[in-house]
Amino acid sequence: MTFPTGFLWGAATASYQVEGAVSEGGRGPSIWDTFAATEGKVLGGATGAVACDHYHRYPEDVGLLADLGLNAYRFSVAWPRVMPDGRTTSAAGLAFYDRLVDELLSRGVVPVVTLYHWDLPQALEDAGGWPERDTAARFADYAAVVHAALGDRVHQWTTVNEPFCAAFLGYGSGVHAPGVQDYDTALVAAHHLLLGHGLATRALTAQARPGHKFSLALNFAPAIPDGDTPAHLEAARKFDGIHNRFFLDPVLGRGYPEDVLADVEHHGGRFAAAVRDGDTGLIAAPIDWLGVNYYAPARVTPLADPHAPGNCPLPALRGLDVLPAPPPLTAFGWEQAPAALTGLLRWIDTRSGGLPLVVAENGASFVDRVVDGRVFDAARVNYFMEHLGAVHDALRAGVDVRGYFAWSLLDNFEWAMGYTQRFGLVHVDFETQRRTVKESGRFLGRVAKANALGAPAEGVGDTRA
C-alpha cells in the first residue's frame, strides 16, 4: 500500500504536555498551570511543570524522531512563553522555538507549527478568556508575532487545535482548564475560538511567503446510531451536529448549521448575541488543508423523552445517550474503529469539495512496559497498521490526504488524566526522563521510510485479545 509522493509522516506533541520549564525563559502562567495546581482537577495531582522536559531535551527528542525516519514534527507554541501576559512579546520565549526549528531543519524534519493547543495565558483568562471577544483579537496579534519570527523557515501553520475541547471541556463540563461549568459560556467560547482562527489566518496570510500553508485542526467523532429508526437517526444527527458540523461548517463557509442552532437555543441565548454580522465570513478565511484529529466514533441511542438530558454533557445533546464503546478498547476505554476513519475522511472530502486533508492526530494509549530495554507494544503496532490501512482506503477512494501524524511522539502529561495514559512512540520514564523507543515507533518509521504500508516486523503480532 503505497502513499503519495511527498506524504508527510510525523508525530505530534503539545507545548504544555511536553515542554516543562514553566518558570524558565520568562514564561508566564497558563490556564493549565492554574488548573493543574488546583486540588482534585488532575489525577494524582500531576502537573506539566516538568512533563517530558522537552524544553531542555529537544535535541535528543528531535534526534529520536529523525532517526526513526519520520519527516515531520507537529508541535505547538506556548502562547504564555512567547507572550507571558498574552500581549507583550518575550524575545527569550521566541528564542526557544527559533532553536527548535533550526534543530528540526538540521535533521531534515519539516516543522509543522500549531499556534494554540489549549494553554491560554492566565492573564488573558483573568481578563475574560475565550468567552471574551477580545481574546480572538489578541490571538491574531500573537499569531502574527510568531509567524514573523519563524516564517522564514516554517511553511506549515495550524492556528487552533481542537476548539471543541478548548470550549466544551474547558468552559462547559469543566474537566479541562480553566474549569468553568456553563454551556452557554462554552458556546460563546467556541465562537471566539473559531473567530480567532479566522482572524489569525488573515493575519498570517497578510505576511505570508511563497509556499506557506495555513490550516486548523478539528477533532471528529463520527456518530453511529444503534438502530435505523427515525429516533435513532435523530440522535445521530444531534451528536454529529454539535461535535462535528458546528465546527466544520463555519470553516468551510457554510455558517453555523441551522439545526444545531435550534438544538442549543435552550442554553440562554448568549451565543446568538455573540455572533456579529460578518463573523462567519471571517471564520471562513481560506485554508490550504484541514487537520483531521480522529480517535474513536460515538455510538448513540435515543431516549424515550427527546427533551431529557442524557449521559453525554455537551450543549444540544438532549434526548440521547452515548453507549459504552464495544471492544477492542484502548487503555483509555476508547473504541478501535479504523473503518470509521475511512468513512470520516470521505465524508469531509465530500462536504468540503475536495479540500486537502492531513490526519493531524491519531493514536492510542496502552499499558506499556520496558523489558530489557525495549517496549514491545504490539497492540499499538496493530492499531497503526489498521488505521493507516483506513487512510489508504480513503486515498484509493480519491480523497486528497497529504499526511499522517501519530499522537504522540512522547509519553506525556495527558491533561486531566495526568501521567496515567501513554500514547507515545517513545516511552518516557518520568522520574529519570529516560527515553526508550517503542516497537510502534520503529514500525511507523519503517512505513515512513518506505512510504508504504506492509506487514509488521517478525515477532510483532496481534495481542489485543
Side-chain angles (χ1 to χ4, degrees):
M1 299 184 186
T2 58
F3 288 78
T5 301
F7 197 81
L8 289 177
W9 291 102
T13 63
S15 50
Y16 189 74
Q17 293 182 271
V18 298
E19 283 182 5
V22 296
S23 300
E24 295 186 44
R27 179 187 178 278
S30 77
I31 56 174
W32 269 96
D33 294 297
T34 303
F35 187 78
T38 304
E39 185 177 357
K41 296 298 185 181
V42 177
L43 279 181
T47 77
V50 176
C52 305
D53 197 27
H54 186 62
Y55 183 83
H56 298 109
R57 296 172 180 264
Y58 71 89
E60 176 187 2
D61 296 335
V62 170
L64 289 169
L65 182 144
D67 289 345
L68 285 175
L70 301 179
N71 60 28
Y73 179 43
R74 178 175 176 249
F75 64 95
S76 76
V77 173
W79 191 348
R81 194 176 295 285
V82 170
M83 291 180 164
D85 61 358
R87 302 169 183 270
T88 308
T89 303
S90 165
L94 281 172
F96 167 68
Y97 298 104
D98 195 70
R99 297 191 299 272
L100 175 57
V101 167
D102 283 349
E103 185 71 24
L104 289 164
L105 295 175
S106 74
R107 296 301 305 265
V109 176
V110 175
V112 180
V113 168
T114 297
L115 289 164
Y116 186 71
H117 198 135
W118 310 351
D119 47 356
L120 184 71
Q122 182 62 45
L124 291 184
E125 179 60 31
D126 293 342
W130 284 111
E132 174 61 43
R133 187 180 181 91
D134 185 64
T135 303
R138 301 288 71 76
F139 178 65
D141 293 343
Y142 152 72
V145 166
V146 178
H147 185 270
L150 304 179
D152 59 329
R153 288 153 292 159
V154 175
H155 291 173
Q156 301 288 349
W157 295 84
T158 299
T159 54
V160 178
N161 182 78
E162 298 186 354
F164 169 97
C165 294
F168 293 163
L169 304 187
Y171 293 93
S173 67
V175 298
H176 279 190
V180 176
Q181 295 179 315
D182 185 307
Y183 275 111
D184 203 20
T185 298
L187 288 163
V188 176
H191 175 61
H192 290 155
L193 280 153
L194 289 172
L195 180 63
H197 153 72
L199 293 173
T201 300
R202 280 168 166 73
L204 296 172
T205 303
Q207 58 189 36
R209 302 183 181 210
H212 283 196
K213 305 292 185 183
F214 304 111
S215 66
L216 86 163
L218 302 178
N219 57 306
F220 294 88
I224 302 175
D226 71 330
D228 58 2
T229 70
H232 284 88
L233 298 179
E234 172 67 359
R237 180 201 66 77
K238 285 183 177 180
F239 188 95
D240 172 67
I242 195 62
H243 198 295
N244 302 320
R245 291 183 288 114
F246 182 80
F247 293 92
L248 176 63
D249 282 8
V251 171
L252 298 179
R254 295 168 172 261
Y256 289 107
E258 291 294 332
D259 62 315
V260 182
L261 296 183
D263 290 340
V264 302
E265 280 183 341
H266 66 283
H267 278 292
R270 286 184 56 205
F271 170 76
V275 182
R276 300 181 183 176
D277 289 345
D279 279 5
T280 54
L282 292 171
I283 293 169
I287 56 176
D288 298 291
W289 53 271
L290 176 71
V292 178
N293 295 3
Y294 168 79
Y295 292 95
R299 298 185 179 269
V300 300
T301 192
L303 298 175
D305 181 355
H307 301 291
N311 63 0
C312 185
L314 291 176
L317 292 194
R318 297 185 298 176
L320 67 92
D321 275 349
V322 175
L323 298 170
L329 303 178
T330 69
F332 222 127
W334 294 345
E335 179 180 354
Q336 299 183 54
L341 175 56
T342 304
L344 171 64
L345 294 171
R346 296 185 67 175
W347 175 76
I348 297 172
D349 176 66
T350 299
R351 198 165 187 85
S352 69
L355 180 68
L357 308 178
V358 171
V359 178
E361 287 185 26
N362 179 236
S365 64
F366 292 105
V367 178
D368 299 320
R369 296 181 179 87
V370 180
V371 179
D372 296 329
R374 301 189 72 175
V375 179
F376 292 94
D377 57 335
R380 190 176 288 106
V381 171
N382 277 280
Y383 180 96
F384 283 133
M385 187 160 55
E386 291 177 348
H387 285 76
L388 288 173
V391 173
H392 194 270
D393 287 345
L395 283 164
R396 291 177 60 191
V399 181
D400 186 3
V401 185
R402 300 190 179 183
Y404 178 92
F405 288 81
W407 184 268
S408 173
L409 174 61
L410 305 166
D411 291 338
N412 55 38
F413 176 82
E414 190 53 46
W415 306 116
M417 301 302 290
Y419 295 98
T420 65
Q421 300 293 324
R422 293 182 177 271
F423 282 84
L425 302 177
V426 177
H427 180 279
V428 177
D429 182 322
F430 295 109
E431 292 186 3
T432 66
Q433 293 296 334
R434 181 182 177 87
R435 273 75 162 141
T436 304
V437 176
K438 302 177 187 179
E439 290 305 307
S440 59
R442 301 181 196 280
F443 167 76
L444 194 61
R446 288 193 298 272
V447 173
K449 289 175 183 177
N451 201 38
L453 180 63
E458 184 177 355
V460 179
D462 190 340
T463 63
R464 289 174 301 165

